[in-house]
Amino acid sequence: MMQSSGVALVTGASRGIGRATACELGRRGYAVAVNYVGDEQGASETVERIVAEGSRAMAFRADVSSHDGARDLVEAVEKAMGPLEALVLNAGITRDGLLARMSEEDWDRVIDVNLKGVYNVLKWGSRSMMRRKSGRIVAVSSVVALTGNVGQANYCASKAGVIGLVRASARELSRYGITVNVVAPGFIDTDMTGALTGEVRDRLTAAIPLGRMGTPEDVAKAIAFLLSPDASYITGEVLRVDGGMSIGAHT
Ligand code: NAD
């Protein structure tokens, strides 16, 4: 397995895909900065798992939707752990509802966390990488950015925005030797999808060519690949991790 001594920051790593990614990066030799916003216990558990498997990890509280908070987060991570080598922009939320009934507050909050949150941490994190002329960045979007989804106008818009943001940044940062890519998960078994009823889960699973929901580890491994030297000639790409759910959708 590839080894690295660099520092990786994973946003929203107190559970789900973020936690699985933080653990996978720990196993690959990164020192991992585990960002969380409210769930201190979840973040501590992620840290404990990484440390138990022999790598270094620390938890950092920050709301990614805050511009200054994201700057302070990056500063705190680099002060405590060293220069950032990898950045995983994973933190995200849903506030579902049909467009005609969607409140302005639900629209704004999803855009603030999912899209502005990626801009915030990408901006401050990439500044440090630019000075050192190296770095790897992956943002977590969703296949619904490509396909659309009923009841998720705010979420689909935020995740499609992430793809545009990544493509622009990939062009800007290429001259510094920094790659920026997107992972677009399909239907993954986490707390985010845990609230769905059995019937909805069955219907969604039936639409997946590989016949099962994804696991957080499925997504974590794709992220780890895009951060690895094996992916050094890939930038501005959207890698779908969805069991074939969105075959045919345009990237
Ligand atoms: P989750 O709800 O289990 O985890 C989301 C994480 O983000 C949590 O740790 C949460 O505390 C954190 N977070 C939320 N708001 C934050 C903020 N303002 N600042 C910092 N952290 C914040 O969800 P998940 O399923 O693990 O999702 C992870 C990412 O993958 C999200 O961006 C989500 O949109 C995306 N995604 C998930 C699925 C799926 O099926 N689960 C599919 C496609 C994309």
Side-chain angles (χ1 to χ4, degrees):
M1 187 151 285
M2 184 268 295
Q3 288 294 308
S4 162
S5 54
V7 175
L9 166 60
V10 183
T11 66
S14 59
R15 66 184 200 184
I17 292 168
R19 170 182 279 173
T21 303
C23 292
E24 181 65 29
L25 296 181
R27 283 191 287 273
R28 293 181 184 224
Y30 286 93
V32 188
V34 173
N35 160 250
Y36 70 100
V37 64
D39 183 5
E40 191 176 351
Q41 198 186 328
S44 302
E45 262 179 62
T46 307
V47 167
E48 280 163 24
R49 286 189 200 186
I50 296 167
V51 171
E53 290 186 313
S55 200
R56 205 152 65 91
M58 289 174 70
F60 295 86
R61 187 179 189 289
D63 181 341
V64 297
S65 69
S66 158
H67 191 244
D68 291 351
R71 182 198 56 210
D72 296 347
L73 168 67
V74 169
E75 266 180 31
V77 168
E78 296 208 309
K79 195 163 172 229
M81 303 186 80
L84 269 184
E85 182 56 33
L87 199 48
V88 181
L89 307 161
N90 163 78
I93 58 166
T94 52
R95 293 278 188 280
D96 294 353
L98 295 173
L99 177 62
R101 286 202 291 264
M102 185 173 286
S103 69
E104 185 182 3
E105 194 191 348
D106 284 349
W107 172 269
D108 286 345
R109 189 61 192 150
V110 167
I111 299 294
D112 276 355
V113 174
N114 296 8
L115 180 55
K116 189 179 174 204
V118 170
Y119 151 75
N120 287 336
V121 184
L122 175 56
K123 171 180 169 177
W124 299 116
S126 63
R127 279 185 167 202
S128 152
M129 290 175 172
M130 283 160 73
R131 283 195 292 274
R132 285 174 292 104
K133 292 197 166 25
S134 88
R136 295 269 179 272
I137 301 169
V138 172
V140 181
S141 175
S142 167
V143 289
V144 299
L146 312 172
T147 62
N149 200 21
V150 172
Q152 292 199 306
N154 49 0
Y155 184 78
C156 294
S158 71
K159 294 298 187 180
V162 165
I163 293 175
L165 170 58
V166 161
R167 286 180 167 162
S169 328
R171 286 187 183 274
E172 286 189 19
L173 297 174
S174 57
R175 79 187 67 158
Y176 301 95
I178 301 166
T179 65
V180 197
N181 289 292
V182 168
V183 161
F187 185 35
I188 312 298
D189 198 2
T190 67
D191 292 327
M192 186 177 268
T193 49
L196 299 172
T197 62
E199 193 197 326
V200 174
R201 288 164 80 90
D202 289 348
R203 187 164 45 75
L204 286 168
T205 306
I208 300 172
L210 287 179
R212 65 168 177 88
M213 290 180 78
T215 64
E217 290 71 26
D218 289 326
V219 183
K221 286 190 190 299
I223 293 171
F225 163 67
L226 288 171
L227 296 176
S228 78
D230 290 341
S232 58
Y233 199 57
I234 301 174
T235 197
E237 185 56 271
V238 179
L239 178 57
R240 291 182 258 176
V241 186
D242 68 348
M245 198 178 173
S246 68
I247 289 173
H250 295 292
T251 46

